[in-house]
Amino acid sequence: MTSNKKVLICSLFSSFFMVATAQAQLYKSVGPDGKVTYSDQPPANQKQVEKKNLPGIAESNNFPPELAIVVAKNPVTLYTATGCSPCNDGRNMLKAAGVPFSEKTVNTAADQEKLKQVSGDTQMPLLVIANVKFRGYSADEWKDAISKAGYPSSNKLPKDYRYPQAEPASPPPPPPAPKAEPARPAQPATKKPDTGFQF
């Protein structure tokens, strides 16, 4: 095979991969028992199918399709606190495994109340995968949970990926809108003195 043919084949393959990544789609189907299933392939029963593009996942973050589908199906949220050593260990483990996640910090009374609503107690870190909760850090348990959720065994994140900044578990309410100033009463028109001249 000549070098020109090799270059052409490589270019075609790269173009195909870029198109496939940008057009990643997710199919949501609901079974007779009410169970929701996500897949990158359309199911045989087309009646209860919802087809979704993956904006902000496959496109904005440039995730490979297999990772984008898992992120959409089983999103990961990590609850942490300042000065929590197990929280740091859990965060580092998720990053080393290439698992995209959103981080919620618990530093105020409002944050703790939000954590109680989500977890039922205040033990941290708290790992939430879809609707499944894992209280406290256990490397083996977390790795097993991530694997069962469908995340790749090796890091598939793009090299330029940046994890989103951590946010408070209970963000402060937005500032109140400024009050409109009361309308000023109209000033009566001043009557000009009569000078006797007409124009």
Side-chain angles (χ1 to χ4, degrees), residues 38-73:
Y38 294 88
S39 173
D40 58 344
Q41 298 294 327
N45 177 14
Q46 295 288 335
K47 290 184 179 179
Q48 291 181 303
V49 176
E50 181 180 346
K51 181 173 130 180
K52 291 184 177 181
N53 288 326
L54 298 172
I57 298 176
E59 293 175 20
S60 298
N61 291 319
N62 200 27
F63 289 169
E66 66 271 23
L67 179 59
I69 290 168
V70 179
V71 171
K73 181 180 177 183

Side-chain angles (χ1 to χ4, degrees), residues 4-22 65-66:
N4 287 341
K5 285 184 178 180
K6 288 181 180 179
V7 170
L8 179 61
I9 290 172
C10 289
S11 298
L12 288 172
F13 179 80
S14 298
S15 299
F16 172 77
F17 181 77
M18 289 172 65
V19 170
T21 300
E66 66 271 23

Side-chain angles (χ1 to χ4, degrees), residues 78 100 149 151 177 182:
L78 177 65
Y151 282 89

Side-chain angles (χ1 to χ4, degrees), residues 7-172:
V7 170
L8 179 61
I9 290 172
C10 289
S11 298
L12 288 172
F13 179 80
S14 298
S15 299
F16 172 77
F17 181 77
M18 289 172 65
V19 170
T21 300
Q23 295 179 346
Q25 293 176 333
L26 185 65
Y27 295 88
K28 174 185 175 184
S29 60
V30 182
D33 56 354
K35 183 178 180 182
V36 178
T37 304
Y38 294 88
S39 173
D40 58 344
Q41 298 294 327
N45 177 14
Q46 295 288 335
K47 290 184 179 179
Q48 291 181 303
V49 176
E50 181 180 346
K51 181 173 130 180
K52 291 184 177 181
N53 288 326
L54 298 172
I57 298 176
E59 293 175 20
S60 298
N61 291 319
N62 200 27
F63 289 169
E66 66 271 23
L67 179 59
I69 290 168
V70 179
V71 171
K73 181 180 177 183
N74 293 316
V76 175
T77 305
L78 177 65
Y79 288 80
T80 64
T82 304
C84 168
S85 180
C87 299
N88 296 335
D89 293 339
R91 184 190 303 109
N92 293 337
M93 190 276 280
L94 292 175
K95 288 185 176 182
V99 177
F101 63 92
S102 59
E103 184 174 352
K104 305 290 184 183
T105 57
V106 181
N107 294 315
T108 67
D111 293 337
Q112 289 181 359
E113 189 59 35
K114 182 65 176 178
L115 179 65
K116 284 181 183 177
Q117 293 174 13
V118 174
S119 172
D121 61 30
T122 57
Q123 185 178 1
M124 284 187 289
L126 172 69
L127 176 68
V128 182
I129 304 177
N131 295 318
V132 184
K133 303 171 182 66
F134 301 89
R135 298 171 186 86
Y137 175 62
S138 168
D140 292 337
E141 184 181 32
W142 284 28
K143 287 177 183 177
D144 184 60
I146 290 164
S147 175
K148 287 180 179 176
Y151 282 89
S153 56
S154 59
N155 191 332
K156 301 290 184 183
L157 288 175
K159 291 183 178 179
D160 60 349
Y161 178 76
R162 295 292 178 269
Y163 282 90
Q165 200 160 12
E167 297 179 348
S170 179

